[in-house]
């Protein structure tokens, strides 16, 4: 069997019962990967077993798949995402200890954890945190791997078992098992396109770490930043956001968008998708990174697609959770 790589139409041999990832790595093809068990999402690529159209040299219909979990049974077509910005990280497990619990606003907790080993990750990724055998939750990292501690900004949800644990039972000195990193919404350092960064509510923590990553990498991309909050009583971290934005080499806009309540003079009133929709006619040339709850990301993503953002240029991790 053969793999045809697009857009250049090179062909590679793939063995029976071999995953796409193993075949690509055996042929020294650049592809991001980490866990190899389908959890991290880094090896996501576009896949088809249909023929190439002669006009464009692409498949009739490509579907996203995880290369580590895909075993072709026929000749196939593959397009690797961001081959010039490959990320390869080992799967890691660490023991975390809660050093501090902060409450920047009601229904939000900022957890600061030390770890028994240095965890390697990229801005935009997240970790699986297990508090007890029956309480595991995904949290986005709100910092950089060079920071002395690991920080998570957590939105507390009614009836959520993990939320109840964090709000009522968690204490400094408690420990947790931390696995990761997970997620493919990492910073593409070699990309020179304009960058649109969006956060909703506690997605701000991830946004702050991501912007610090842009600054630390010395990237000169034009950067547009929007931090959205449902109501004014949920707003936090505005001064942190302003200070981080000062580090960027080409900041074009930094807006705090608030859905209602008492606004500060620099806030903009409205819903985040509506404000972005008014500010931009066409986003097809942008790389977009979105941080926040699954629902907020889903709503914002629909707007971004309507504004021309291709799926491979929209980076987010709308992982879903259970409130059981």
């Amino acid at each position: 069997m053969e793999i045809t790589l697009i857009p250049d139409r090179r062909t590679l041999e793939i063995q029976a019962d071999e995953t796409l990832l193993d075949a690509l790595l055996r042929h020294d093809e650049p592809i991001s990967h980490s866990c190899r068990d389908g959890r991290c999402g880094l090896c996501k690529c576009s896949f088809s077993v249909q023929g190439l159209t002669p006009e464009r040299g692409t498949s009739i219909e490509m579907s996203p798949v995880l290369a580590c979990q895909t075993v072709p049974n026929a000749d196939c077509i593959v397009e690797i995402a961001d081959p010039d910005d490959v990320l390869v990280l080992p799967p890691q497990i660490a023991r975390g200890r809660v050093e501090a619990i902060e409450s920047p606003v009601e229904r939000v907790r900022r957890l600061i954890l030390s770890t028994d080993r240095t965890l390697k990750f990229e801005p935009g990724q997240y970790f699986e945190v297990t508090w007890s055998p029956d309480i595991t939750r995904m949290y986005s990292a709100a910092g950089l791997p060079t920071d002395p501690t690991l920080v998570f900004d957590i939105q507390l949800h009614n009836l959520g078992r993990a939320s109840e644990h964090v709000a009522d039972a968690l204490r400094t000195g408690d420990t947790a098992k931390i696995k990761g990193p997970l997620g493919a919404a990492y910073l593409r350092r070699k990309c020179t396109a304009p960058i649109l960064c969006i956060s909703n509510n506690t997605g701000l923590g991830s946004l702050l770490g991501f912007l610090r990553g842009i600054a630390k990498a010395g990237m000169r991309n034009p950067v547009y930043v929007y931090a959205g909050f449902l109501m004014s009583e949920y707003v936090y971290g505005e001064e942190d956001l302003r200070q981080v934005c000062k580090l960027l080499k080409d900041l074009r806009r930094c807006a705090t968008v608030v859905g209602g309540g008492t606004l500060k003079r620099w806030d903009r009133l409205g819903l985040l998708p509506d404000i972005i929709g008014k500010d931009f006619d066409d986003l097809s040339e942008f790389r977009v990174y979105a941080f926040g709850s699954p629902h907020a990301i889903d709503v914002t993503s629909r707007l971004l697609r309507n504004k021309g953002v291709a799926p491979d240029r929209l980076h987010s991790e709308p992982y879903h959770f259970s409130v059981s």
Side-chain angles (χ1 to χ4, degrees):
M1 294 184 296
E2 288 186 339
I3 303 170
T4 299
L5 294 177
I6 59 172
D8 55 7
R9 295 198 184 202
R10 287 185 296 111
T11 59
L12 308 173
E13 170 264 340
I14 182 170
Q15 299 172 0
D17 299 324
E18 188 175 30
T19 67
L20 277 179
L21 179 61
D22 287 339
L24 291 168
L25 293 178
R26 181 165 56 83
H27 288 286
D28 296 323
E29 292 295 331
I31 180 171
S32 297
H33 64 281
S34 179
C35 71
R36 289 178 174 264
D37 63 7
R39 294 173 56 78
C40 73
L42 277 177
C43 65
K44 184 168 66 176
C45 58
S46 297
F47 173 85
S48 178
V49 294
Q50 301 185 48
L52 295 174
T53 59
E55 297 81 11
R56 297 186 180 180
T58 59
S59 63
I60 296 173
E61 183 177 352
M62 302 290 282
S63 300
V65 299
L66 296 176
C68 71
Q69 299 297 298
T70 303
V71 180
N73 57 10
D75 292 347
C76 59
I77 304 155
V78 173
E79 183 174 17
I80 299 173
D82 298 307
D84 295 328
D85 246 322
V86 166
L87 177 63
V88 178
L89 289 172
Q92 302 157 77
I93 299 177
R95 180 176 178 270
R97 181 183 187 276
V98 179
E99 301 295 342
I101 304 172
E102 300 175 356
S103 301
V105 291
E106 187 178 0
R107 306 300 295 171
V108 171
R109 297 292 184 272
R110 173 168 288 176
L111 303 185
I112 302 172
L113 288 82
S114 60
T115 56
D116 62 355
R117 59 174 294 184
T118 300
L119 293 170
K120 298 178 180 179
F121 65 95
E122 281 290 304
Q125 292 192 290
Y126 62 96
F127 289 90
E128 178 186 278
V129 179
T130 299
W131 299 113
S132 67
D134 61 340
I135 301 179
T136 296
R137 184 72 163 86
M138 308 295 185
Y139 298 128
S140 294
L144 298 178
T146 52
D147 293 343
T149 55
L150 197 59
V151 179
F152 301 120
D153 281 7
I154 299 172
Q155 182 77 51
L156 302 179
H157 298 275
N158 293 330
L159 304 179
R161 183 182 297 177
S163 291
E164 290 178 353
H165 178 79
V166 170
D168 302 327
L170 195 65
R171 299 289 184 269
T172 56
D174 287 355
T175 60
K177 180 181 179 181
I178 302 173
K179 294 177 64 176
L182 306 171
Y186 63 90
L187 176 61
R188 272 65 175 176
R189 299 173 186 272
K190 295 182 180 179
C191 178
T192 59
I195 296 175
L196 173 60
C197 293
I198 304 166
S199 72
N200 280 278
N201 297 314
T202 51
L204 176 70
S206 302
L207 173 65
L208 292 173
F210 195 84
L211 295 175
R212 288 176 57 206
I214 293 175
K216 187 172 183 178
M219 297 174 67
R220 298 183 176 275
N221 310 52
V223 180
Y224 299 76
V225 179
Y226 289 79
F229 298 91
L230 184 61
M231 297 292 289
S232 59
E233 56 262 37
Y234 301 140
V235 176
Y236 73 101
E238 286 184 295
E239 181 59 29
D240 293 336
L241 180 60
R242 283 193 290 272
Q243 292 302 317
V244 169
C245 282
K246 290 179 181 179
L247 303 175
L248 302 175
K249 294 184 179 297
D250 191 5
L251 176 69
R252 299 295 179 90
R253 184 175 300 142
C254 179
T256 303
V257 180
V258 183
T262 304
L263 273 63
K264 300 182 179 67
R265 59 181 176 81
W266 52 77
D267 293 336
R268 296 178 65 180
L269 176 64
L271 299 178
L272 195 54
D274 294 339
I275 295 295
I276 294 174
K278 292 177 182 178
D279 287 356
F280 297 94
D281 294 325
D282 182 13
L283 289 167
S284 59
E285 298 300 318
F286 280 70
R287 286 277 183 166
V288 182
Y289 298 86
F291 309 99
S293 69
H295 174 70
I297 288 178
D298 289 345
V299 172
T300 305
S301 295
R302 287 196 291 271
L303 164 80
L304 296 170
R305 288 192 292 269
N306 290 336
K307 291 290 183 177
V309 180
D312 62 348
R313 299 177 74 88
L314 172 57
H315 308 293
S316 63
E317 295 297 345
Y319 49 83
H320 293 263
F321 60 91
S322 170
V323 297
S324 61

